[in-house]
Amino acid sequence: MGLFSKKRKGPKAADFDGSVLKGITERTETGSRVIAKHGYISVRDGVLTVSGEEKALFRCPEGSVSCSPLMSGDGVIVSGIDENGLDRSLICYYLYYRKLEP
């Protein structure tokens, strides 16, 4: 088997559970806008939730959400169809690079 013959598996939504966020922006057709300055990512009962400033901003089933880490390592792009049926893409910036354990 060669170097490029193995398939790489991307990160799962559960890998980002417990991430504390310092900022959340949403990509739109006209650009991006800040939707929260503080928040967190949680995965409970198979649903990924991005919450900011004490309210849920984005909810999507864990199997249909796409999570891609930023190349800088200081955040993640969360994309999917939320509970309202809208196709959304959020950029979540970590407050800390490591997860906080309870």
Side-chain angles (χ1 to χ4, degrees):
M1 293 179 82
L3 177 64
F4 299 105
S5 63
K6 294 182 181 179
K7 282 191 172 183
R8 291 187 183 185
K9 293 184 180 181
K12 299 176 187 173
D15 295 340
F16 302 102
D17 184 27
S19 298
V20 180
L21 306 174
K22 69 177 175 182
I24 305 166
T25 61
E26 181 174 13
R27 286 185 182 169
T28 61
E29 294 174 0
T30 58
S32 60
R33 64 184 180 99
V34 176
I35 57 174
K37 293 201 177 193
H38 304 285
Y40 60 93
I41 298 173
S42 66
V43 179
R44 300 284 183 264
D45 300 325
V47 177
L48 179 132
T49 305
V50 177
S51 300
E53 299 173 0
E54 300 181 11
K55 64 179 180 177
L57 301 171
F58 178 82
R59 284 192 181 135
C60 186
E62 187 178 4
S64 63
V65 70
S66 171
C67 298
S68 306
L70 297 177
M71 289 182 68
S72 63
D74 66 345
V76 63
I77 300 171
V78 178
S79 302
I81 298 175
D82 69 356
E83 60 187 8
N84 298 326
L86 301 173
D87 188 13
R88 298 177 66 191
S89 181
L90 303 179
I91 304 171
C92 305
Y93 297 96
Y94 301 137
L95 180 60
Y96 305 106
Y97 287 103
R98 291 187 248 169
K99 288 186 198 177
L100 297 178
E101 297 296 327

